[in-house]
Amino acid sequence: MLGVSVLHDLDIEPNRQGVRLTGTPRVFVSWVECRRALDGLHPETDAGRARLARWLQARRWIADRSRLELVERVRPVGLPHDHGLHPGPGWARTHVLGDALDLGLGFVDLDPADPDRVVLAPPSALEAAGIDASVLWCHAREELERLGSLAASRLGTDRRGTIRPLGDCDVVTLLGARTLRAAIATASGGLGNVVAPMLRRGWTQLALVDPAFGPAAWEATTPLERGFPRPLLVTRDELVMASAGGRPEDLALRDAVSSVTWDRDVLYR
């Protein structure tokens, strides 16, 4: 906790039962909740301290807002279940079929240093504020489906099938919208494909994307900005990550330069 306070500039008052976050109103976080926030990460690691710091900052910022302000700022957030930003057990309100994507609550305009950043909401913070998370999720889910429908309409006019963020939702979050998944699957005859190696960009026309691009882009992206390391199989109701294995980089190296005009409009050929 001392490392969290010093390295992440948090004002805290520890005692035997937990820590108090200074400010008005004061926020008390028990040691049990701190351990739950770590979700298996070692507290003496950089990743553990960063996760605990994000949890405590969210507790502080949510306590600073009224219930009406939180309702106005609620946003849907989607993350791979093993992502570094995932707040841990209890955060996800919906698990998309396929065990690849979790959807939960976040709030915009809470971080004083970055108002546009969506801050993930620890379940305990909402409970302490007396807020029913299920009601907030209804509002967030409606917004997600609206933005998913808009993303689907834009996707239909993009020859390369590029998915871009909309509103306060990144690409990984938009894939949680049934409206967008249905559009992707329908365009491919019922089973679509998506490559989304980073949170803020995805592609659906895999014939125009080198097989090695997705894994390589995922490796080159900073851990907290990563999406899915492998392609996704998409139906109206499911989002499944392709099984690990194969050597897509070998396929790219064996791919000869095309000499015919109709086969030249591909990336990295």
Side-chain angles (χ1 to χ4, degrees):
M1 190 59 70
L2 177 61
V4 168
S5 176
V6 173
L7 297 176
H8 297 273
D9 195 23
L10 287 177
D11 294 329
I12 60 175
E13 298 175 356
N15 57 43
R16 291 186 177 183
Q17 286 74 41
V19 295
R20 293 188 181 275
L21 307 180
T22 59
T24 304
R26 288 195 173 189
V27 176
F28 177 77
V29 183
S30 69
W31 293 123
V32 173
E33 183 181 340
C34 290
R35 177 63 66 181
R36 188 182 300 120
L38 288 169
D39 190 27
L41 292 180
H42 196 284
E44 294 296 331
T45 62
D46 291 339
R49 285 189 289 265
R51 174 172 289 183
L52 184 54
R54 288 192 297 268
W55 184 285
L56 296 176
Q57 285 173 331
R59 288 291 312 267
R60 174 71 273 166
W61 291 332
I62 290 174
D64 291 339
R65 299 288 184 175
S66 68
R67 185 176 305 181
L68 179 59
E69 288 175 323
L70 292 175
V71 171
E72 293 173 345
R73 289 166 170 79
V74 68
R75 297 292 186 273
V77 181
L79 287 172
H81 67 89
D82 57 352
H83 196 274
L85 289 176
H86 199 297
W91 171 76
R93 304 300 305 177
T94 297
H95 303 279
V96 179
L97 292 177
D99 297 328
L101 179 64
D102 291 341
L103 296 171
L105 291 171
F107 297 96
V108 73
D109 194 20
L110 290 188
D111 184 353
D114 187 4
D116 293 331
R117 181 169 76 89
V118 179
V119 176
L120 303 186
S124 55
L126 300 180
E127 295 173 3
I131 295 175
D132 187 347
S134 60
V135 174
L136 288 183
W137 178 240
C138 289
H139 294 288
R141 190 62 192 248
E142 290 177 2
E143 178 68 5
L144 176 59
E145 294 299 333
R146 184 186 71 82
L147 291 175
S149 178
L150 180 57
S153 64
R154 293 187 177 183
L155 190 61
T157 61
D158 190 325
R159 187 172 60 86
R160 294 192 181 277
T162 306
I163 309 175
R164 296 179 174 85
L166 283 175
D168 295 304
C169 294
D170 57 32
V171 169
V172 171
T173 300
L174 289 174
L175 289 173
R178 193 171 187 268
T179 48
L180 178 57
R181 294 197 305 272
I184 294 172
T186 301
S188 301
L191 178 64
N193 300 276
V194 175
V195 169
M198 61 277 293
L199 292 178
R200 301 186 61 80
R201 199 66 86 236
W203 294 268
T204 61
Q205 299 296 331
L206 300 197
L208 304 179
V209 179
D210 192 289
F213 171 73
W218 185 84
E219 289 284 355
T221 304
T222 57
L224 297 186
E225 292 295 325
R226 286 173 176 170
F228 298 97
R230 300 188 298 279
L232 299 165
L233 304 178
V234 182
T235 68
R236 185 184 302 268
D237 297 308
E238 288 187 278
L239 194 73
V240 180
M241 190 158 53
S243 300
R247 296 182 60 84
E249 65 277 8
D250 288 352
L251 296 176
L253 292 174
R254 291 200 305 264
D255 198 2
V257 176
S258 177
S259 60
V260 291
T261 56
W262 56 265
D263 199 26
R264 284 180 179 168
D265 190 21
V266 293
L267 298 178
Y268 313 109
R269 169 75 56 98

